[in-house]
């Protein structure tokens, strides 16, 4: 019995190893799979054949391989990739007064999107999960995808998320706290659901794009309607025991500073987020409570324009943001010494105004021997990394919890029958 258990474990591990390689590299020939996984040619042949028989992977035709893959002399290699019909996942992004949803196939390609205006701040905490479940149901109905075809749903929120309880502990999008979401989706639709922090989802998306670049130890800082962080440790996004790790935006910058949306004073977010920048520029940051509304993009563009023209209040606002961000990153570098810090989100558009003050604070806050080994880069603000990362994380759960076990032949045939 022990031998059988060990054999099954090795089988699942090898299947997962191959699936992870395909997630990272895309469709590959069998010989390339061996290079990326370290498995023998015989193992690659056996495992890939099993996964194809289970309906999880599929072979591309020779013509398709020649068109999509690298050009080679002679007979083109057959590429193996995920069967897009093997499963679907749904990603939901919750923001202030809005929901954005995306339906993706097993390869991670987005098949459909839906956006809705939802009054989140005053939403009934007991009913909000049902609202999310209803929006998912509407998306699936419009795309004619049965709920049983969806293997997992992921929900990304700003603020503190408890992935174990499937709840939003606190978020500036809500007046209330401890809002249960996942259970309503699971009860209505039968879809396993996870709730996670949106900055962590950006980190998940980056590791999905380029694990070599964003693996190791790295930090992703989101700047925009709030300030969040995703931590990557040894190539894996660190969510903490409950999913609430790395709340960088709510680390204190100055005691008794301006009020943050979280209810405390002096947080990094109270200096760097969009609402805080507008508040500093108004000259009333010390006394004005933070806005609970989403800040229109045109308001931030107007503030940036004013700063570039030399308006002293606007220039001062971005200077304070750069200083708070820089000292916060200095603490992070001293503790974690990441090889890379990635700045992402709409707030990075103002980086020319922020960066000189950020760099000055880093110089003051951490010794050069630690600082010079860290590379700081900016992710293009147009990249929708929250939805992408939520999809990627959901698919990695499907790989580990479903596809690595198999077989799924019967289930996939059932799904294709109703398609």
């Amino acid at each position: 019995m022990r031998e059988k258990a060990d054999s099954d474990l090795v089988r699942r591990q090898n299947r997962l190893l191959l699936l992870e390689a395909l997630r990272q590299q895309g469709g590959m020939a069998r010989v390339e799979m061996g290079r990326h996984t370290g498995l023998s040619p015989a193992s690659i042949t056996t495992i890939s054949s099993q996964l194809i028989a289970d309906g999880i992977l599929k072979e591309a035709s020779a013509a398709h391989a020649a068109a999509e893959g690298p050009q080679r002399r002679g007979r083109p290699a057959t590429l193996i990739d995920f069967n897009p019909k093997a499963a679907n996942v749904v990603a939901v992004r919750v923001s202030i007064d809005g929901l954005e949803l995306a339906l993706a196939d097993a390869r991670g390609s987005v098949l459909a999107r839906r956006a809705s205006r939802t009054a989140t701040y005053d939403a009934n905490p007991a009913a909000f999960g049902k609202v999310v479940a209803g929006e998912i149901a509407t998306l699936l109905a419009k795309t004619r995808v049965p709920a049983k075809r969806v293997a997992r749903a992921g929900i990304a929120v700003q603020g503190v998320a408890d992935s174990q309880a499937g709840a939003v502990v606190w978020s500036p999008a809500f007046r209330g706290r401890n809002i249960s979401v996942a259970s309503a989706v699971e009860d209505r639709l039968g879809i396993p659901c996870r709730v996670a922090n949106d900055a962590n989802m950006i980190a998940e998306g980056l590791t999905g794009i380029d694990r070599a670049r964003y693996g190791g130890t790295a930090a992703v800082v989101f700047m925009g309607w709030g300030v969040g962080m995703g931590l990557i440790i040894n190539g894996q996004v660190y969510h903490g025991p409950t999913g609430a790790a790395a709340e960088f935006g709510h680390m204190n910058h100055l005691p008794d500073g301006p009020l943050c949306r979280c209810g405390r004073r002096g947080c990094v977010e109270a200096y760097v987020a969009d609402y805080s920048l507008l508040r500093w520029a108004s000259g009333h940051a010390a006394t004005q409570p933070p806005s609970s509304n989403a800040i229109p993009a045109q308001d931030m563009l107007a503030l940036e324009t004013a700063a570039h023209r030399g308006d002293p209040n606007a220039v001062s606002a971005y200077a304070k943001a750069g200083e708070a961000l820089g000292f916060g990153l200095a603490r992070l570098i001293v503790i974690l010494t990441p090889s890379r810090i990635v700045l992402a989100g709409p707030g990075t558009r103002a980086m020319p105004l922020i960066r000189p003050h950020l760099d000055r604070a880093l110089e003051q806050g951490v010794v050069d021997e630690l600082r010079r080994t860290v590379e700081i880069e900016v992710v293009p603000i147009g990249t929708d990394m929250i939805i992408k990362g939520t999809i990627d994380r959901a698919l990695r759960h499907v790989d580990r919890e479903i596809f690595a076990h198999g077989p799924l032949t019967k289930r996939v045939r059932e799904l294709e029958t109703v398609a």
Side-chain angles (χ1 to χ4, degrees):
M1 181 65 71
R2 174 73 180 182
E3 183 178 347
K4 177 66 163 58
D6 290 345
S7 176
D8 286 343
L9 177 61
V10 170
R11 172 178 167 275
R12 290 196 300 271
Q13 289 174 336
N14 287 343
R15 283 168 68 106
L16 184 57
L17 194 63
L18 194 150
L19 294 170
E20 288 176 342
L22 288 172
R23 286 279 174 227
Q24 185 64 43
Q25 304 296 329
M28 292 185 288
R30 287 180 173 85
V31 64
E32 293 175 304
M33 291 179 182
R35 288 197 293 266
H36 286 286
T37 63
L39 296 172
S40 68
S43 295
I44 290 291
T45 298
T46 299
I47 296 167
S48 61
S49 297
Q50 290 173 346
L51 289 166
I52 290 171
D54 290 345
I56 297 167
L57 302 182
K58 64 182 299 186
E59 290 184 336
S61 66
H64 177 79
E68 300 294 332
Q71 297 298 313
R72 301 179 176 86
R73 291 180 179 273
R75 183 179 179 182
T78 299
L79 297 185
I80 297 176
D81 202 351
F82 282 92
N83 175 6
K85 294 183 179 181
N88 293 100
V89 296
V90 169
V92 181
R93 176 182 143 189
V94 180
S95 57
I96 298 175
D97 292 335
L99 296 176
E100 181 182 351
L101 299 89
L103 174 71
D105 62 22
R107 294 176 65 181
S109 300
V110 174
L111 306 177
R113 290 181 180 266
R114 174 177 173 79
S116 69
R117 299 296 299 169
T118 302
T120 58
Y121 193 70
D122 291 314
N124 181 348
F128 183 74
K130 295 178 181 178
V131 172
V132 174
E135 290 293 331
I136 295 175
T138 299
L139 174 66
L140 297 180
K142 288 190 174 181
T143 54
R144 297 183 179 181
V145 174
K148 69 177 183 178
R149 188 167 188 160
V150 181
R152 181 170 287 272
I155 300 174
V157 298
Q158 180 190 353
V160 180
D162 187 335
S163 59
Q164 298 300 315
V168 182
V169 177
W170 170 83
S171 171
F174 301 93
R175 185 191 301 274
R177 297 186 179 228
N178 298 312
I179 299 168
S180 179
V181 181
S183 61
V185 174
E186 293 173 349
D187 291 345
R188 175 172 176 178
L189 302 172
I191 301 171
C193 182
R194 286 283 183 96
V195 180
N197 174 266
D198 56 1
N200 284 340
M201 295 302 95
I202 296 174
E204 293 278 6
L206 289 175
T207 59
I209 289 174
D210 191 341
R211 187 168 295 276
R213 183 176 182 84
Y214 299 109
T217 301
V220 182
V221 178
F222 176 87
M223 303 163 55
W225 53 82
V227 177
M229 174 177 284
L231 280 180
I232 302 168
I233 300 177
N234 295 328
Q236 301 295 322
V237 178
Y238 178 70
H239 295 267
T242 65
E247 278 296 338
F248 175 82
H250 301 290
M251 178 174 63
N252 190 263
H253 173 54
L254 288 177
D256 301 320
L259 189 64
C260 178
R261 276 177 172 162
C262 73
R264 297 188 178 274
R265 292 188 174 276
C267 296
V268 171
E269 180 176 301
Y271 293 81
V272 180
D274 52 11
Y275 70 86
S276 59
L277 287 164
L278 288 172
R279 191 171 55 176
W280 280 113
S282 73
H284 302 293
T287 58
Q288 189 178 38
S291 169
S292 61
N293 299 318
I295 304 299
Q298 58 265 31
D299 289 1
M300 299 311 299
L301 288 170
L303 183 63
E304 292 165 28
T305 299
H308 283 298
R309 289 176 177 172
D311 179 273
N313 289 335
V315 170
S316 176
Y318 286 108
K320 290 179 184 298
E323 181 182 74
L325 187 61
F327 279 118
L329 294 179
R331 297 184 188 106
L332 173 73
I333 290 170
V334 169
I335 294 171
L336 195 63
T337 58
S339 58
R340 188 179 305 275
I341 295 175
V342 182
L343 304 177
T348 60
R349 186 179 51 235
M351 194 51 60
L353 299 164
I354 294 173
R355 188 64 186 261
H357 308 284
L358 185 159
D359 289 339
R360 190 174 302 114
L362 278 175
E363 291 173 3
Q364 295 174 356
V366 61
V367 296
D368 179 65
E369 287 78 6
L370 295 177
R371 186 180 68 251
R372 65 190 178 193
T373 62
V374 182
E375 181 176 347
I376 298 178
E377 68 174 65
V378 178
V379 172
I381 60 175
T383 304
D384 185 9
M385 294 302 297
I386 294 175
I387 286 290
K388 172 178 169 40
T390 306
I391 291 171
D392 287 352
R393 188 188 189 209
L395 287 172
R396 283 195 279 269
H397 277 293
V398 172
D399 290 344
R400 184 172 61 252
E401 298 168 8
I402 301 176
F403 289 169
H405 293 261
L408 294 180
T409 306
K410 181 179 179 181
R411 177 175 177 271
V412 171
R413 285 176 179 170
E414 289 174 349
L415 297 179
E416 291 181 341
T417 299
V418 298

